[in-house]
Amino acid sequence: MGGSNDGSAHGSHAAGDLPPRLADDEFYRALASSHRRRSLYYLLEHGESTVAELASVLSGWEATETGAMYTSDDRSAVRLQLLHSHLPQLAEAGLIAYSSEGDAVRLEELHPRVADVIRQSAEAERRRQPE
């Protein structure tokens, strides 16, 4: 499996070496939300974050899309969504580790093909956005 989360080792795996997660409905349910896809994408690039930092990043991403100015109330709402919905679902799917008592969020070690799917989904979404 290698220790890399960056997806660079995808060529070293045989075509038949698909990770079981790619056949798991829970994985795709985790990717069904743009907040969860974007959180995973951010964690792929940074490895770990705080809940507050993720809320700021997601709020900024949305503000960029809509052209609206996001307020601290908006960031607080996103933080609550992360804590009560998105992070528990990502943890249940085995994609992240976080403590509901703490503030740290860490990406679990992912098969490079799984990391590729996450990256491609976030990049496809970004390309869909009007410039």
Side-chain angles (χ1 to χ4, degrees), residues 41-53:
Y41 184 77
Y42 184 79
L43 291 169
L44 276 171
E45 300 304 314
H46 297 89
E48 62 183 41
S49 180
T50 64
V51 175
E53 181 179 358

Side-chain angles (χ1 to χ4, degrees), residues 37-45 119 122-123 126:
R37 287 190 303 273
R38 291 170 177 180
S39 295
L40 289 169
Y41 184 77
Y42 184 79
L43 291 169
L44 276 171
E45 300 304 314
R119 256 192 208 95
E123 289 167 2
R126 187 177 291 172

Side-chain angles (χ1 to χ4, degrees), residues 38-100:
R38 291 170 177 180
S39 295
L40 289 169
Y41 184 77
Y42 184 79
L43 291 169
L44 276 171
E45 300 304 314
H46 297 89
E48 62 183 41
S49 180
T50 64
V51 175
E53 181 179 358
L54 272 178
S56 290
V57 167
L58 294 175
S59 296
W61 202 323
E62 287 180 14
T64 300
E65 284 178 358
T66 63
M69 187 69 165
Y70 267 59
T71 66
S72 61
D73 287 343
D74 295 320
R75 278 189 296 283
S76 294
V78 170
R79 185 177 181 279
L80 285 174
Q81 290 172 5
L82 284 168
L83 288 171
H84 295 289
S85 175
H86 301 307
L87 296 179
Q89 191 164 355
L90 291 172
E92 183 70 26
L95 299 168
I96 66 161
Y98 91 103
S99 166
S100 58

Side-chain angles (χ1 to χ4, degrees), residues 1-2 4 6-19 111-116 119-120:
M1 205 178 330
S4 173
D6 67 3
S8 61
H10 63 68
S12 66
H13 293 277
D17 185 23
L18 290 176
H111 187 286
R113 305 270 301 261
V114 171
D116 286 345
R119 256 192 208 95
Q120 289 168 0

